[in-house]
Amino acid sequence: MDNLSDTLKKLKITAVDKTEDSLEGCLDCLLQALTQNNMETSEKMQGSGVLQLFASLLTPQSSCTAKVANIIAEVAKNEFMRVPCVDAGLISPLVQLLNSKDQEVLLQTGRALGNICYDSHEGRSAVDQAGGAQIVIDHLRSLCSKTEPANEKLLTVFCGMLMNYSNENDSLQAQLINMGVIPTLVKLLGIHCHNAALTEMCLVAFGNLAELESSKEQFASTNIAEELVKLFKKQIEHDKREMIFEVLAPLAENDAIKLQLVEAGLVECLLEIVQQKVDSDKEDDVAELKTASDLMVLLLLGDESMQKLFEGGKGNVFQRVLSWIPSNNHQLQLAGALAIANFARNDGNCIHMVDNGIVEKLMDLLDRHVEDGNVTVQHAALSALRNLAIPVVNKAKMLSAGVTEAVLKFLKSEMPPVQFKLLGTLRMLIDAQEAAEQLGKNVKLVERLVEWCEAKDHAGVMGESNRLLSALIRHSKSKDVIKTIVQSGGIKHLVTMATSEHVIMQNEALVALALIAALELGTAEKDLESAKLVQILHRLLADERSAPEIKYNAMVLICALMGSESLHKEVQDLAFLDVISKLRSHENKSVAQQASLTEQRLTVES
């Protein structure tokens, strides 16, 4: 280290004289010292003030320039040296050197800038201001098709530099995207796929850029899908495949790229991985099985890619996914059920699947998860059943297959996601009067619904519970169902639902309440009073923002309430006639007509 102190003193003198031989000797000593102990040597260099001299040594004419850049690259491996390098004014001359024709100078300059930018806001900012990124991208473009080893090494360094420059920085990543870096990197990957280091650099860069929404369109206009699938097929090492997966996952969120990946044959690769890993309990294999099956489900989220893989229900992919459901592997059961839920996104597919026995498979799967079951599998299987129940022709078939009984086994679940899907599935199934009546008289179900109507922490569960309560009344039109709901304390929730911010829910509540008033007013009277229904109806009719159908159904309900003495008195006390007479001139004809009828009714009754 004494030797190092002498070298630094000597360097200060020779840097001013610029005698190249002695300068080169000093630089060699420094490089040697950095190799032996980088951190200590860097600290000494910083203390000696020698960094400031380097700016003047970074000249294109000097034969020592590459060595100076190499020293800066080595020094900047230490976090504490990056800001001093910026403060010493090294960025601007380094960026100027990117215009050099000398390959070694370019290599060491790329390394120096890349290391200074690593995790350093100041470094990146300085490179940005000096315009370094554009020059590097231009180099990548012009050197792209040259496959000599030295050139590939330079390309790898430049890719690494851009990665360090933009990593986890959205605005700099957006800048690179605007400069057109994506098509260049995709081309690089295609030409240099035999070079492991360069391929790896491209993949990491893709992984960074693909997180940005604005990158997806640019990626979609390249042949990235084809290149990645080609590369994926060659890989046997878990780590390498994992790197490609990390790029595929964010890219596959884009529907156009989903379709490109399907057309490039990614699905076949994924199915092969599943087949190879399904019986292994090695940690890497389990992780890879999960990633492959998750990605498979993601590809099915695109309408075009999903339909292409469904192939009218005859496709090999669809059949393979079906075989996952009865498997003993939870991850495959989950992916299989989610895939079915994704295939069940149009009526044609749903009808075909129900006719071909998918419901029984899903019910068997649910049966295996009733006691201490896997919540994610329960949720996925219920999602699939809910989607399958949407087409009208499927409802009766699913009811007779026993779906409601299978779903009701999960009433005791304390998991909101499962509760939410359970409610949605039942609501989809009860369009038929008979089913609605049967469920509406099920006291356990109705009591659980009333309990969930108060689940304020879970808006989805609360909303679905209210909607199912209302649907049971609307579809059954049954006095027994209404009595069960009144006895379980459900009336107040239907009244509250009439004030929902969603018009569809308000409407469903008002129609259900009108049926209650028409069929069982005596039973519900006290609950309707204590829930302040009349005041709420007055507010809905007086509020100009209320939708026409809300005003219409509120007036129908007012007329139905006239049969109750106490509710009738509340209506008289609130001067409803003033509000309703104004609605006779409403622009909506149905509202205006109903206003006239309601006014007559109220006048006669008063």
Side-chain angles (χ1 to χ4, degrees), residues 359-426:
V359 170
E360 289 70 18
K361 284 189 169 70
L362 289 167
M363 289 189 342
D364 288 347
L365 176 60
L366 276 175
D367 240 15
R368 295 161 70 181
H369 288 275
V370 175
E371 297 303 326
D372 306 321
N374 182 304
V375 173
T376 52
V377 175
Q378 292 171 359
H379 179 259
L382 288 167
S383 295
L385 287 171
R386 182 200 173 280
N387 289 3
L388 290 165
I390 292 171
V392 176
V393 294
N394 280 357
K395 296 182 196 290
K397 293 172 188 169
M398 291 176 71
L399 285 168
S400 60
V403 171
T404 48
E405 292 78 4
V407 169
L408 286 171
K409 290 176 186 171
F410 294 91
L411 261 187
K412 56 181 183 288
S413 171
E414 293 302 331
M415 296 311 228
V418 174
Q419 295 166 354
F420 181 70
K421 288 298 175 186
L422 170 152
L423 292 163
T425 308
L426 290 176

Side-chain angles (χ1 to χ4, degrees), residues 273-456:
I273 287 175
V274 168
Q275 202 169 353
Q276 287 167 2
K277 311 291 181 187
V278 66
D279 297 321
S280 168
D281 49 11
K282 277 167 55 188
E283 200 176 321
D284 280 357
D285 291 347
V286 171
E288 201 164 346
L289 175 81
K290 179 178 175 2
T291 308
S293 53
D294 284 350
L295 188 50
M296 182 79 207
V297 171
L298 182 57
L299 291 175
L300 293 172
L301 274 173
D303 288 339
E304 282 187 83
S305 50
M306 177 272 287
Q307 212 49 46
K308 190 176 176 66
L309 294 171
F310 189 65
E311 289 182 67
K314 306 274 189 295
N316 167 47
V317 174
F318 174 65
Q319 296 302 329
R320 289 279 286 280
V321 166
L322 272 188
S323 73
W324 294 354
I325 293 174
S327 125
N328 289 320
N329 182 303
H330 280 187
Q331 174 57 34
L332 279 195
Q333 293 171 0
L334 170 65
L338 287 173
I340 297 304
N342 286 345
F343 279 125
R345 287 211 316 281
N346 63 51
D347 284 7
N349 292 4
C350 288
I351 293 164
H352 180 280
M353 287 192 278
V354 169
D355 287 347
N356 284 276
I358 188 66
V359 170
E360 289 70 18
K361 284 189 169 70
L362 289 167
M363 289 189 342
D364 288 347
L365 176 60
L366 276 175
D367 240 15
R368 295 161 70 181
H369 288 275
V370 175
E371 297 303 326
D372 306 321
N374 182 304
V375 173
T376 52
V377 175
Q378 292 171 359
H379 179 259
L382 288 167
S383 295
L385 287 171
R386 182 200 173 280
N387 289 3
L388 290 165
I390 292 171
V392 176
V393 294
N394 280 357
K395 296 182 196 290
K397 293 172 188 169
M398 291 176 71
L399 285 168
S400 60
V403 171
T404 48
E405 292 78 4
V407 169
L408 286 171
K409 290 176 186 171
F410 294 91
L411 261 187
K412 56 181 183 288
S413 171
E414 293 302 331
M415 296 311 228
V418 174
Q419 295 166 354
F420 181 70
K421 288 298 175 186
L422 170 152
L423 292 163
T425 308
L426 290 176
R427 192 165 61 80
M428 284 301 151
L429 284 171
I430 59 159
D431 280 10
Q433 189 167 358
E434 193 184 329
E437 190 162 359
Q438 193 187 345
L439 281 174
K441 290 191 288 193
N442 180 328
V443 178
K444 273 192 178 157
L445 169 64
V446 174
E447 284 178 348
R448 195 71 160 130
L449 290 183
V450 170
E451 183 189 328
W452 287 341
C453 281
E454 292 173 4
K456 292 197 167 46

Side-chain angles (χ1 to χ4, degrees), residues 427 453 462-474 490-513 531 533 536 540 550:
R427 192 165 61 80
C453 281
M462 195 163 84
E464 277 292 341
S465 301
N466 278 302
R467 293 189 76 185
L468 184 52
L469 264 188
S470 156
L472 290 170
I473 295 167
R474 287 182 296 112
I491 295 296
K492 63 180 180 189
H493 296 300
L494 290 170
V495 174
T496 306
M497 183 181 168
T499 63
S500 163
E501 58 192 18
H502 304 291
V503 173
I504 192 165
M505 285 176 70
Q506 281 186 294
N507 226 7
E508 287 170 0
L510 291 170
V511 173
L513 288 164
L533 172 62
I536 284 168
L540 288 175
I550 300 302

Side-chain angles (χ1 to χ4, degrees), residues 522-590:
T523 314
E525 187 179 43
K526 280 197 168 59
D527 287 353
L528 293 171
E529 263 184 79
S530 59
K532 306 224 174 343
L533 172 62
V534 173
Q535 288 90 320
I536 284 168
L537 292 174
H538 189 276
R539 209 163 62 228
L540 288 175
L541 288 169
D543 189 344
E544 287 175 8
R545 293 165 302 178
S546 294
E549 60 268 40
I550 300 302
K551 290 189 189 297
Y552 178 87
N553 283 322
M555 287 187 283
V556 170
L557 180 49
I558 289 289
C559 293
L561 295 177
M562 291 294 102
S564 152
E565 206 176 309
S566 56
L567 291 168
H568 182 178
K569 186 176 181 316
E570 283 191 26
V571 171
Q572 282 179 318
D573 291 349
L574 270 175
F576 264 79
L577 276 168
D578 298 349
V579 179
I580 286 167
S581 61
K582 284 180 191 164
L583 293 175
R584 284 197 345 237
S585 54
H586 197 279
E587 59 188 5
N588 182 297
K589 275 190 185 152
S590 301

Side-chain angles (χ1 to χ4, degrees), residues 70-188:
N70 186 2
I71 289 169
I72 296 169
E74 290 301 316
V75 162
K77 285 178 178 176
N78 300 293
E79 191 182 347
F80 66 88
M81 289 300 286
R82 290 170 200 149
V83 173
C85 283
V86 174
D87 293 343
L90 301 181
I91 302 298
S92 186
L94 281 169
V95 168
Q96 291 305 311
L97 286 176
L98 289 172
N99 298 306
S100 167
K101 298 281 182 280
D102 183 310
Q103 196 141 12
E104 184 62 18
V105 170
L106 286 174
L107 185 77
Q108 299 303 346
T109 303
R111 284 184 62 235
L113 288 170
N115 289 353
I116 292 170
C117 285
Y118 185 78
D119 232 358
S120 162
H121 169 70
E122 294 79 3
R124 291 169 181 181
S125 205
V127 173
D128 178 21
Q129 282 164 13
Q134 185 66 64
I135 305 172
V136 171
I137 290 176
D138 292 342
H139 274 306
L140 289 178
R141 272 194 203 111
S142 62
L143 299 170
C144 187
S145 45
K146 297 179 179 171
T147 54
E148 305 82 26
N151 189 61
E152 290 192 320
K153 192 175 177 186
L154 183 56
L155 286 168
T156 307
V157 164
F158 279 157
C159 281
M161 183 237 145
L162 288 180
M163 213 171 58
N164 287 355
Y165 171 71
S166 65
N167 189 32
E168 291 182 355
N169 184 311
D170 287 359
S171 65
L172 292 180
Q173 286 177 353
Q175 178 197 74
L176 295 183
I177 291 167
N178 292 335
M179 289 174 177
V181 75
I182 288 173
T184 306
L185 289 173
V186 174
K187 196 173 166 193
L188 266 182

